Amino acid sequence: MKNVLIIGATGTIGSAVRQTLLNETDDHLTLFARSTGRLQPSDRETVIAGDVTNDADLDRALVNQEAVFVALSGPLGQFSRKIVAAMDRNQVSRLLFITSMGIYNEIPASVGSNGNLSHNGVLRPYREAADVVETSDLTYTVIRPGWFTNGPVNYEVTRKDEPFGGHDVSVSSIADFAKRAIADDGYYAHDSVGLNTK
């Protein structure tokens, strides 16, 4: 059993990771979100309403945590700096951070290279966050999923220096990868991985 903090618990990916961990592990989850009214926690869950830019909120959420999973949108560079600093303060080292495919211009033409950062400025905050996480002293894994689908668990992993393997990936596949990385601190540690449907 691990204590796992999910930041962005009400979003598509955060919700999927939550359900997978509840169904397939005995982990205790802390669900952190700006708006928690829709969350109905189980007896293995704690809910914290908070702002990721507020140090006190993050410090409260990080007490006794062993792994942190982050799936947010918005100014991700700012968010990542706050989260990394808070984890350092609270001596929590395992971080899984969702960014996006294309941030390293790793999408080949066969998949759709117009999805790369060089063609798509929307990805800039995702790259900024990845850079912050990768230069931290944490045991991090940056996760770069393809476009989300609702299919079954079926995915391949590419490394940072490899071309991205496909256009999309199921939400359940992202959650499965997260479950494995939470269970094993060494699983793709200090790595940035792409996830796409096989």
Side-chain angles (χ1 to χ4, degrees):
M1 188 201 87
K2 282 193 172 178
N3 293 326
V4 182
L5 172 61
I6 300 177
I7 298 178
T10 57
T12 300
I13 300 300
S15 296
V17 169
R18 174 194 179 194
Q19 287 307 317
T20 295
L21 294 178
L22 285 177
N23 294 341
E24 301 179 22
T25 76
D26 58 359
D27 294 343
H28 183 276
L29 311 182
T30 299
L31 310 175
F32 185 96
R34 278 194 311 260
S35 177
T36 58
R38 291 177 298 164
L39 292 171
Q40 297 182 314
S42 70
D43 57 3
R44 282 171 42 211
E45 296 178 298
T46 301
V47 173
I48 294 180
D51 180 345
V52 77
T53 64
N54 183 301
D55 291 345
D57 288 351
L58 284 174
D59 287 343
R60 191 161 44 100
L62 280 162
V63 172
N64 295 323
Q65 300 297 342
E66 296 165 279
V68 178
F69 177 86
V70 180
L72 296 170
S73 57
L76 290 183
Q78 177 190 7
F79 294 165
S80 61
R81 282 188 286 275
K82 285 287 191 179
I83 291 164
V84 166
M87 290 179 67
D88 281 339
R89 277 197 309 277
N90 291 276
Q91 298 179 329
V92 181
S93 65
R94 186 60 168 138
L95 174 62
L96 311 175
F97 201 105
I98 296 285
T99 61
S100 173
M101 67 174 180
I103 60 171
Y104 307 117
N105 297 309
E106 77 277 22
I107 305 174
S110 60
V111 176
S113 56
N114 61 342
N116 283 318
L117 177 60
S118 57
H119 297 286
N120 186 356
V122 171
L123 294 179
R124 198 157 286 111
Y126 294 90
R127 174 58 186 268
E128 186 181 348
D131 289 347
V132 170
V133 171
E134 289 180 299
T135 55
S136 75
D137 60 356
L138 301 175
T139 308
Y140 68 83
T141 304
V142 172
I143 303 169
R144 296 172 283 112
W147 290 92
F148 307 157
T149 67
N150 292 318
V153 174
N154 173 33
Y155 63 99
E156 67 176 358
V157 178
T158 53
R159 309 302 263 270
K160 181 177 179 179
D161 57 354
E162 297 174 333
F164 207 81
H167 186 268
D168 49 40
V169 68
S170 66
V171 171
S172 59
S173 293
I174 301 168
D176 182 79
F177 180 91
K179 175 192 74 176
R180 294 168 187 273
I182 287 165
D184 177 1
D185 287 352
Y187 191 74
Y188 291 100
H190 305 287
D191 209 342
S192 175
V193 298
L195 300 182
N196 63 269
T197 302
K198 278 186 188 172

